[in-house]
Amino acid sequence: MAYKSLVGLFLTFNIIFADSIEVKALNFYADENAGKSILSGNVVVSRGKDVLNTEELIIFMDKDRKPLRYEANKNPKFSINLSGKTYKGSGDKFIYNVLKDTYEINGNAFIHEINTDKKLYGDKIIVDRKANVYQVQSRQNKPARFVFELEDDK
């Protein structure tokens, strides 16, 4: 039964995404009644050039077992490509909303744009892939920070 669920889960990934997605983990648990799968232990999710590493990944699915949301809860680190740029980052929690095509990094959120060396820090960072919009939110006593290098016009 678990094998059948695992095969169904991977087939669903390949249907949802144009390119293939590969998920590796030491442990896998699926609760089809709750529409939830939990992967734990050295979890690596790869989709093209995008990679997510975490200790725990929860996948929430609809009644047809199509992924709705991915939540990486334990030490998530990622490398993603958007509009030809590479971003690396981390946070306490990483959420990918499939329908909205948004990434949300919560708690100690950090994104580093490798190509330009720009860095974003905040309590919450939201990246809307469709609209190509970035939003940084922070608590009152801890402001958001944006760090970048100025080019010298010499």
Side-chain angles (χ1 to χ4, degrees), residues 9 13 34-38 57-63 65-73 93 95-96 98:
L9 178 67
F13 283 148
K36 179 167 73 169
S37 295
I38 302 171
L57 179 69
I58 302 172
I59 303 169
F60 297 90
M61 294 167 275
D62 66 12
K63 61 181 172 50
R65 293 191 302 190
K66 291 183 182 175
L68 298 171
R69 187 175 77 245
Y70 299 82
E71 290 186 9
N73 296 310
K93 186 177 200 175
I95 300 169
Y96 175 61
V98 176

Side-chain angles (χ1 to χ4, degrees), residues 34-53:
K36 179 167 73 169
S37 295
I38 302 171
L39 298 99
S40 62
N42 298 322
V43 180
V44 179
V45 181
S46 303
R47 177 184 170 207
K49 293 181 180 179
D50 297 348
V51 178
L52 171 66
N53 295 284

Side-chain angles (χ1 to χ4, degrees), residues 2-144:
Y3 175 75
K4 190 176 183 180
S5 296
L6 185 60
V7 170
L9 178 67
F10 287 121
L11 289 175
T12 301
F13 283 148
N14 287 323
I15 291 168
I16 295 298
F17 299 108
D19 46 348
S20 65
I21 188 167
E22 181 180 359
V23 181
K24 297 178 187 176
L26 296 176
N27 304 296
F28 174 80
Y29 169 81
D31 183 341
E32 290 189 25
N33 294 324
K36 179 167 73 169
S37 295
I38 302 171
L39 298 99
S40 62
N42 298 322
V43 180
V44 179
V45 181
S46 303
R47 177 184 170 207
K49 293 181 180 179
D50 297 348
V51 178
L52 171 66
N53 295 284
T54 187
E55 284 303 310
E56 180 182 79
L57 179 69
I58 302 172
I59 303 169
F60 297 90
M61 294 167 275
D62 66 12
K63 61 181 172 50
D64 297 321
R65 293 191 302 190
K66 291 183 182 175
L68 298 171
R69 187 175 77 245
Y70 299 82
E71 290 186 9
N73 296 310
K74 295 184 181 175
N75 197 27
K77 293 181 180 9
F78 60 88
S79 175
I80 56 176
N81 289 285
L82 297 169
S83 303
K85 297 177 184 174
T86 301
Y87 297 86
K88 292 191 176 195
S90 61
D92 296 336
K93 186 177 200 175
F94 180 87
I95 300 169
Y96 175 61
N97 184 313
V98 176
L99 300 176
K100 293 181 181 178
D101 199 16
T102 59
Y103 293 120
E104 184 177 312
I105 303 104
N106 290 305
N108 299 305
F110 168 71
I111 294 180
H112 179 202
E113 183 186 319
I114 302 300
N115 308 60
T116 61
D117 199 30
K118 293 178 184 172
K119 297 172 184 162
L120 290 173
Y121 300 85
D123 191 49
K124 178 190 279 189
I125 299 174
I126 300 170
V127 179
D128 185 329
R129 292 175 53 105
K130 289 179 184 175
N132 204 22
V133 172
Y134 306 85
Q135 181 180 38
V136 181
Q137 301 172 1
S138 285
R139 295 171 278 181
Q140 285 182 335
N141 60 351
K142 190 174 180 185

